[in-house]
């Protein structure tokens, strides 16, 4: 089983970022801007919860799998688009809405970073002089082609 951040951890970080962004918006910007950030944060929070649940169903981690949940993915995407369009057409600040919709990104990154696996200091590694280093292409993350390997030997 792959361990990583659970939904509660991500939602807590997200709540902290959302509260900070909305509070800062009310303090330094107009109420319209702050309400746009709040609306964007609410939409992305609801979308995260639904996306997390759909991912659990798709990956078989949920209690029950449902094809309806998979079809709901497309419907939810369309619904988020409609909500954003309605918000913009009713006068929401587009930058505030974008900020609110984007607050999940740092929350997920920080939750994943804090739940990263421990570094093993005693893992085996190739010796610096091992000829295998010449066979591996780090830029393409694969072994070098024979033609590519021969060209470097000639140079």
């Amino acid at each position: 089983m792959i361990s990583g951040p659970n939904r509660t951890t991500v939602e807590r970080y997200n709540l902290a970022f959302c509260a900070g962004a909305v509070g800062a918006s009310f303090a330094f910007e107009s109420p319209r801007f702050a309400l746009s950030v709040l609306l964007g944060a609410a939409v992305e929070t609801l979308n995260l919860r639904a996306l997390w649940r759909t991912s659990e169903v798709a990956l078989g981690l949920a209690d029950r799998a449902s094809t309806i949940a998979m079809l709901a993915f497309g419907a939810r995407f369309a619904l988020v688009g409609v909500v954003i369009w309605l918000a913009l057409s009713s006068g929401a600040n587009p930058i505030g809405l974008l900020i609110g919709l984007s607050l999940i990104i740092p929350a997920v990154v920080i939750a994943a970073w804090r739940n990263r696996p421990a570094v093993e200091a005693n893992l085996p590694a190739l010796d610096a002089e091992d000829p295998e280093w010449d066979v591996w292409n780090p830029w393409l993350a694969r072994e070098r082609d024979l033609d590519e390997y021969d060209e470097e030997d000639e140079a």
Side-chain angles (χ1 to χ4, degrees), residues 101-124:
L101 288 167
S102 302
L103 291 172
I104 191 64
I105 296 169
V108 169
V109 169
I110 289 173
W113 177 67
R114 292 198 50 147
N115 287 295
R116 67 191 183 277
V119 176
E120 292 287 333
N122 297 326
L123 288 177

Side-chain angles (χ1 to χ4, degrees), residues 1-6 111-112 115-118:
M1 177 85 182
I2 299 173
S3 66
N6 59 15
N115 287 295
R116 67 191 183 277

Side-chain angles (χ1 to χ4, degrees), residues 32 37 42 45 51 68-69 74 85-87 116 121 129 139 148 155:
R32 179 176 156 246
V37 172
T45 299
L51 183 61
I68 295 173
W85 180 80
L86 287 173
R116 67 191 183 277
E129 300 300 321
W139 299 107
E148 189 179 335

Side-chain angles (χ1 to χ4, degrees), residues 41-105:
V43 168
E44 61 93 6
T45 299
L46 293 174
N47 190 41
L48 169 74
R49 297 193 88 184
L51 183 61
W52 197 291
R53 180 70 182 148
T54 303
S55 299
E56 287 176 339
V57 170
L59 297 173
L61 302 175
D63 297 335
R64 60 180 177 80
S66 171
T67 56
I68 295 173
M70 295 307 295
L71 295 174
F73 179 79
R76 188 184 66 254
F77 184 73
L79 182 64
V80 168
V82 168
V83 168
I84 292 171
W85 180 80
L86 287 173
L88 291 173
S89 65
S90 66
N93 186 307
I95 302 299
L97 192 63
L98 179 65
I99 290 170
L101 288 167
S102 302
L103 291 172
I104 191 64
I105 296 169

